[in-house]
Every structure is written in C-alpha cells, then in structure tokens.
Amino acid sequence: MAEEQKGFRLSRRLLLGAAVVGGAVLWGGTTVARLARGPSGPKNAGRIADIDGIALPLKPIASPPAFDPSLPWSAKGGDINDASGLSMTPVYGVVEVSEEDHIAKALGFARANSLKVSLAAIRHSMGGHAFDDNALVLDLRKFNKVTVDAAAKTMTLQPGARWHDIQNLLHPHFAVKAMQSTDIFSVGGSLSVNAHGMDHQAGSVAGSIRSMRVMLADGSVTTCSPTENTDLFRHVVGGYGLFGVVLEATLDIVDNVVYRTSREIIKSDDFPKFFADVLEPNKEIGLFYGHLSTAPGNFLEDMIVYRYDKVADQPPADQPEIGEPGSVGLKRVIINMAKWGSLFQQLKWFTEKTLEPKFESCTVARTSAMAEGEACLVTRNNPMHDSVPYLFNDLMDETDILHEYFIPRAAYNPFIAEAREILRNQSLPVLNASVRIVHKEDVALTYAPEPAYSLVLYINQPTDADGNARMRTLTRALIDVTIKHGGRFFLPYQLHYTARELLASYPELPAFLAAKRQYDPTELFSSTFYRAIKALSGVV
C-alpha cells in the first residue's frame, strides 16, 4: 500500500512537472510567435490632444461641402493617423494624387470651399505633420515618377517616390547622395524635414537639390533652387509642407562605389576625438554609423563605430540586385524582448557587438576587391537599403517613438553625460541610440545653425494616458538639457514641448511664420503641427 502511495506521489509530481514544462514551452512558443509577428494593420491608439495645455482638436465643419466628383477621393471623411499611432485625426477627405492636375484641382476646390490642405505620403512624422482636423489631405504616394539623367548624374522625381524604390532603380551603377539611414520614407517627406543620414560628408538632403518645381497656394507654379528664388527654397526645404506642394525635384546622384566595411568599439567619450582624427580628415570613408549601447552596464558609454571605406568607384559588372533585410523575425523578437528590462537589453547588445558581424552580408565578391583579401565588401546601395521591417510589430498596446537632438560639437560629452542620467532614471525602454554627423544647415527653420552631432533615440511607450505622460516628461527633460548645451531638438516628432522650449530652440520661428503668411496669406496649407507651433509662438 505504501509503495502504491509513493508511486502515486511520484506520478503526480511527474505529471505536475510535465504540465509546468509543457506550459512553459507553450507560453514561450506563443510569446515568441507574438513578438516575431509583423503588423496586422495600422496602430490607432487615439490622440495626444494638447500641446503645452493648448487643446488641438477642432470642431467638425457644420456644413461640409459636397465632394467634387472629378477628384480621385480615396476617403470621404474618416480618420487618419501617423506612425506613432497616437495622432488619430478626423479629416474632410483624402485625394489620391497620381498626376499634377489632381493637385491643381484639389487646391482650387479647397480655396473655393474654405478648406485647409495637408500633404501626406508615408506619414512617419509623429505629431500630426501630414494632416489636420477637417483638412483635405493630398495622399502623394502614387505621385512617384522618377527619371534618371546618367550624363548629368541627376534624377528628377515626384514627391511620392520612396527611397527604397529609387535605390532599386539606380542600382547597380548609381546611388542616392543624401537621405535618411533607412529607406522607408518618401522624397517629399525627406525634403519637408531636410533629412540627413549615414553620409557624413554629403550632409542633409538640402545639399543634393539642384532645383524644385513648387505649386503655391494660389495654384501658380514656380521654380526654386539654391540660386533661384532662394528665399522660397529655404522655406520649402525643412518647411514641413507649409509653403507649397513640390511637384518635382531634381537631385544629385553619385556612383555606386564599393566599400570595405569595418567596425570597432570605442568609448562614447572618445567619439569627438575619433571624428576629428579619423572620420573628418579621411575622405575615403564614405558612410558612418555610430551605435551606442543601451545595455544597463554600459548605457550610452560604449559605441560601435561602423565605417565604410571606398575601395572601388564601381561594382563588378555582375553585381546582383540589392537584397532585402534578412532574419527579420529574429531581429523583431530581440528588439521586442529588449522592452522587458536589463537582461534582454544585455542580450540585444551582445548580439549587436558579437553575433551581427558573423552574419554580415558581403555583396561584392572578394575576387573583385582589388587585393582586399578577406575584407567584407558592399556597394553604397547595400547599407543604405534598409527598410527596417523588424521595427514594426503587432503589439497594439504600445508604440515606439523617435527623438533627435542636435548638439554643438564641442558640447557632445557633457550633453551625453547628462542625457545618460536622464534616460537611466526613467522607466521607458530605450531601444536604440545612435550618433550622426550634422553640418551647418542654411534653411529657414534650421536644426543646425552650426556644425553639430545628433543623438537619435528610439524609445518604447505604452499607448495609454500614463505612457503619454511619461513620454512627455522625458521629452521635456531631454529638450531642456539640449537647450542648456546650446542645441536644438528635431521637430518631426511628438508635440510634447513647451512654448518656452520651442522658442528657445528655434528663435527664428516668428520670422518663419511671418514668411508662411507672406507665401500663403489664407493659410491654405495647414497641419496639426502648424497650428501647434503657431499657438505656442503666440501668433494668432
């Protein structure tokens, strides 16, 4: 009898153990599958409804005009959102633009019916920059033709063209001169924020523009460039879509040179010296990327320096098409697990500094490397052709928010030291931190009135009211330390700043807004962002 009871107890323990292990395996498998899953649809988590206490929503139009049947409406009424999922806004309607005449007709219809017009494409700005309450939204994604002039080394394109598609068109002989470090954005969006990226020599997209054709609020079309109608040029580039619709832009392109890739780990404090001694004087280093650790043990202290040294002016004749990112599910799991705390942040940093180099894709055959031996070789198009699909997930109760802060180069180390303490002493997970090189930018609302470094942060937050409140507190703390060190914050992101912070960062804002009213007296072009900065500046 005793033996039977003992056997029963053993069996029960085995069953319990098996159940626990099986449950853990099932939970783990389900959790990993959830973390690896791509988006099933857009995130719509409501709206951050104020800026510095000023309410942003507007009342609906009492008697909205009838929709013009000659326009290609993709939506009549409804809501629109951006990449944050936190800017859900009711609009009058959305016109799907595919030709220039659609723009002229839509602006005429809006003028005749006292509607505001907003310009949208991929909508990766995160503060209502591409739409407004009750606005007629021009969806420019299908207004995307590209032509290449190989002899002049230029391309002429419409604003809806995506960098990803442009790179595929230019490859294998040519490459983009200036764009963001990822290729998911539209050209129009990049022009509107004066984007910059991995080429520390080329600088921002402004420096690659030969000319632009722009339709103004009254329907007239004009050409502007760095030498023609320069005032309009300086306001359209980096003007957040508030001065007119870019109909086409002619941009420089460059040869698709071959680079030898390398990486090394340095201390963040040593970066200014590394830039001065290594990066800046060596004109053969074509691309650069500085990735800071977000692991607790060396948070913003260690930096992986990715560099790309030119070894040939053109790839071999049999160069394959540009590959798409690999291991997307695994990368998505790693970055989503990093939201869970210290252990997983350490795992992410370990994979970045130890495992990633072993899986690097070397796209140019070593036999074509002109005695480069065991070097890993890529063309310029390869590292710039990253659509970061692993950053997009199906976790609907959270979102990931970009920040960027521009710091005068002499102030880099004290700024990083203070930013590090701010970020360590708050609860939102910092998923990525990187450093860019920024030149002095001569546009009307410049983020860099002098040469600078920029700190780019990717931070996770819950999409509830508490998550928004914590992000607002963190954003203001980072803006304040940026201003303390003579820097500026980038405006394409969430509207969490105060009037004091906005005007301290951008003292030229009143002049920018005055120019807006000069070029667009009826304020036809509008957005939630525009109304926000106007309200904070005290302009009625």
Side-chain angles (χ1 to χ4, degrees), residues 217-232:
D218 62 3
S220 63
V221 176
T222 188
T223 299
C224 62
S225 74
T227 58
E228 181 183 4
N229 291 325
T230 55
D231 185 69
L232 178 62

Side-chain angles (χ1 to χ4, degrees), residues 8 25 159 268 288 328 374 397 401 403 420 436 476 536:
F8 176 74
V25 169
S268 172
F288 151 80
V328 172
E374 292 301 306
D397 58 348
I401 302 299
H403 298 230
R420 181 185 296 124
R436 297 282 190 277
R476 291 180 177 181
L536 293 188

Side-chain angles (χ1 to χ4, degrees), residues 88-341:
M88 190 161 63
T89 300
V91 297
Y92 168 77
V94 179
V95 172
E96 189 175 69
V97 173
S98 58
E99 55 189 66
E100 191 172 311
D101 188 54
H102 294 157
I103 300 171
K105 285 183 176 179
L107 296 190
F109 175 76
R111 289 193 301 270
N113 291 280
S114 300
L115 294 171
K116 300 299 183 184
V117 174
S118 298
L119 313 181
I122 312 298
R123 304 200 304 272
H124 272 282
S125 291
M126 295 182 169
H129 297 70
F131 42 81
D132 197 7
D133 294 70
N134 311 318
L136 186 162
V137 178
L138 299 182
D139 182 348
L140 299 166
R141 286 176 293 177
K142 292 186 177 179
F143 192 51
N144 59 5
K145 293 178 182 174
V146 182
T147 58
V148 176
D149 185 335
K153 281 194 175 179
T154 63
M155 58 181 177
T156 299
L157 31 72
Q158 294 173 332
R162 292 191 313 148
W163 294 110
H164 185 89
D165 301 323
I166 293 165
Q167 289 172 325
N168 285 328
L169 178 66
L170 294 176
H171 191 76
H173 300 297
F174 297 110
V176 171
K177 180 179 179 180
M179 55 170 270
Q180 293 97 314
S181 57
T182 59
D183 65 9
I184 57 179
F185 308 100
S186 69
V187 170
S190 298
L191 295 174
S192 75
V193 303
N194 191 26
H196 63 98
M198 294 175 70
D199 190 325
H200 59 289
Q201 297 185 54
S204 72
V205 69
S208 71
I209 304 171
R210 296 279 185 96
S211 66
M212 299 185 295
R213 288 180 62 244
V214 180
M215 185 174 290
L216 301 178
D218 62 3
S220 63
V221 176
T222 188
T223 299
C224 62
S225 74
T227 58
E228 181 183 4
N229 291 325
T230 55
D231 185 69
L232 178 62
F233 178 85
R234 294 179 67 253
H235 284 87
V236 172
V237 180
Y240 297 91
L242 298 174
F243 288 81
V245 186
V246 175
L247 301 176
E248 64 180 19
T250 299
L251 309 181
D252 290 323
I253 57 177
V254 296
D255 291 326
N256 187 28
V257 301
V258 177
Y259 295 126
R260 178 182 63 250
T261 72
S262 65
R263 65 182 77 194
E264 61 182 294
I265 299 177
I266 66 172
K267 289 295 181 184
S268 172
D269 287 353
D270 295 333
F271 174 69
K273 186 176 187 316
F274 179 87
F275 173 73
D277 293 349
V278 179
L279 284 179
E280 190 169 36
N282 189 344
K283 301 307 178 185
E284 297 302 302
I285 302 176
L287 301 176
F288 151 80
Y289 181 73
H291 180 63
L292 290 163
S293 167
T294 54
N298 56 3
F299 185 74
L300 301 193
E301 292 177 3
D302 286 353
M303 175 192 288
I304 303 175
V305 173
Y306 301 81
R307 58 184 274 189
Y308 297 80
D309 293 71
K310 188 175 84 167
V311 298
D313 291 327
Q314 281 286 341
D318 59 349
Q319 184 64 22
E321 294 182 359
I322 319 174
E324 300 300 325
S327 306
V328 172
L330 177 61
K331 291 177 182 177
R332 187 180 284 128
V333 168
I334 290 171
I335 200 163
N336 284 333
M337 288 176 67
K339 301 166 186 177
W340 293 355

